[in-house]
Every structure is written in C-alpha cells, then in structure tokens.
Amino acid sequence: MTEVRKVVAGNWKMNLGPVETTSFFRELALPDGEDGPRVAIFPPSLSLAAAVSSRDRDPRVELGVQNIHWEDAGAFTGEVSAAMAREAGATLTLMGHSERRHVFGETDEEVGRKVAAAAGHGLTPVICVGETLDQRRAGRLEGVILGQLDAALEHMPGDGALMVAYEPVWAIGTGETATPRDAADAHALLATRMEALLGERARAIPILYGGSVKPGNAAELLAAPRVDGVLVGGASLDPASFARIVEAATGG
Ligand code: PGA
C-alpha cells in the first residue's frame, strides 16, 4: 500500500491551440472535495499562457510542458528551456515521453540531462518509461523500463520532486490498455528500483500509468497496487471525459 495522493494528468500532445485551451478550461467542471487527486495538464507550449490565465477558475490545476531542452538558452532553434517554462507558469514537465523517444529519437542520456535541467529550475519532471511490444515479447520489459529510469535519474538531485509514468508503448493511442495486473507488476519493479536508488523518499513518489486510459477503465487501473495516478492522452482533450477520470480518482 502507498499513501501517495492520486494524480490525474492530461497530456494534450500537439492538440488544442490557445483558443481551444481557453474553451477547455471554461467547460472544465472538476468534482469538488478535499479528497480529490492532484490534477495536471500538459498543453502545447504555445497554449501555456492561455492555460495559465484561463485555469484561474480552478487554480487546483497544475500546468506543465511536454518537453524542454537541457540548456538554459542559446542557439537551439525550435526548443524551449526549463527556465522559460517555469517563467511562463509551468511547474511540471513530461520527460522522455515515448513519442519523444521513438518519433524524435530522444536518447536515455538526453532524458537524463533534461531531468537535471528541469529539477535545477524547480520544474517537477514526470519521467516516462515504457517498453515496445517487441521488447515485451522478447522478455525485456524489466531491462528496458529500469534502464530508462536509471538513466533519467542519473543526474537528478537527491531531494528533487519527481513523478514517474509507466506507459507501455503498445498501449499508447491504440485503444489497447494494460491490465491492472500488468500495470501493477511494472509499477512494483519501478517502485523497488526507486527505493534502491533514492531510499525511503521513493515511497512518496507517484507512479502513474498511461496508455489508452479512459473514463471507463480509469477506476480499475487506479485501484491496482502502486498505481498512484494516470497520464491521459486522447481522453484528456475533452473536458467532460477528463473530469470523469478525475472523478474516478476522487475519494480513493
Ligand atoms: P493515450 O496517450 O491516452 O492517448 O493512449 C497517453 C500518453 O501518450 O501519454
């Protein structure tokens, strides 16, 4: 068992520009109550300013970016830095999302440098790890996800805030969801490794599950051991379905 407060996070990927972001927050009606989860949204960087001003209606919503560069500034066309993201109102950043790794070729080593930059600027990294279907079938799940975790934490300061998200690549955007048992098994591996690396404080670090989470399957996933939250892609784009997932994480 874990006493970590649940987390429901929405990864919008390259969806919802500033105008749609404002509409999203206008329509978002989160359940009231003190036993609710932490709620976070990761809009595209260009929509962050709109999210900052429109989430005023519900300041509980934390905001993050989807990626950062490890340098603070310089000749890196197309990139944004941790310092800029923080200044613009983000308090979290996704790190090493599978689309960054597999579509944009981000390496474990780069993820490690980015995590260190995020932590150095007070952005909480949400470190994403996950195996492909081929890796899973070849029995490499453990080696892959723990290798990604080790590399991501290599330069992380000992006391920096962080979260981890287990996102099996075969379950992202495919409609295939890991079973609660699959999620619990992977989360147990990650929890054990974090305790070995970080000691006691690892028990307070949330481990989220991501991959085709929807209002209809969120509650059973969140009931699995050490599934401390969910990272939601497609179903986070609609304020009503996102609110239903938050509801599923309330009171547990
Ligand atoms: P999905 O995406 O919920 O659309 O599968 C999850 C993610 O990539 O974070």
Side-chain angles (χ1 to χ4, degrees), residues 98 213 233:
S98 75
V213 175

Side-chain angles (χ1 to χ4, degrees), residues 8-209:
V8 175
N11 170 17
W12 286 358
K13 313 191 178 188
M14 198 172 73
N15 296 292
L16 307 191
V19 173
E20 292 166 309
T21 295
T22 303
S23 309
F24 177 95
F25 281 98
R26 197 180 305 124
E27 288 166 35
L28 182 65
L30 293 178
D32 288 330
E34 284 178 3
D35 55 352
R38 284 176 73 177
V39 177
I41 297 274
F42 296 85
S45 297
L46 281 177
S47 299
L48 183 59
V52 168
S53 46
S54 51
R55 66 106 190 243
D56 281 354
R57 283 186 55 231
D58 207 331
R60 275 181 298 176
V61 180
E62 301 171 51
L63 295 170
V65 289
Q66 299 171 10
N67 180 39
I68 52 155
H69 195 273
W70 56 82
E71 294 289 347
D72 286 352
F76 300 101
T77 301
E79 297 289 317
V80 299
S81 71
M84 291 169 190
R86 192 79 176 90
E87 187 182 332
T91 52
L92 303 153
T93 180
L94 295 180
M95 291 277 80
H97 186 274
S98 75
E99 285 145 23
R100 298 296 321 164
R101 294 178 191 269
H102 296 286
V103 182
F104 299 102
E106 204 165 288
T107 64
D108 280 354
E109 198 251 324
E110 288 169 343
V111 174
R113 294 172 79 177
K114 291 177 180 203
V115 167
H121 286 282
L123 277 184
T124 299
V126 180
I127 297 166
C128 303
V129 301
E131 82 289 0
T132 64
L133 194 54
D134 285 349
Q135 290 166 334
R136 186 180 188 85
R137 287 191 175 138
R140 294 179 51 213
L141 175 141
E142 179 168 349
V144 170
I145 65 173
L146 297 185
Q148 290 171 340
L149 181 70
D150 290 350
L153 292 178
E154 194 174 335
H155 311 292
M156 177 79 193
D159 54 353
L162 82 135
M163 298 189 206
V164 172
Y166 169 59
E167 298 205 301
V169 180
W170 47 271
I172 296 180
T174 58
E176 293 281 331
T177 317
T179 63
R181 179 68 198 269
D182 291 335
D185 288 349
H187 286 219
L189 291 169
L190 293 165
T192 304
R193 182 66 130 237
M194 281 201 294
E195 260 190 77
L197 294 171
L198 303 173
E200 190 105 327
R201 86 177 189 95
R203 291 190 201 154
I205 295 173
I207 307 178
L208 282 51
Y209 168 79

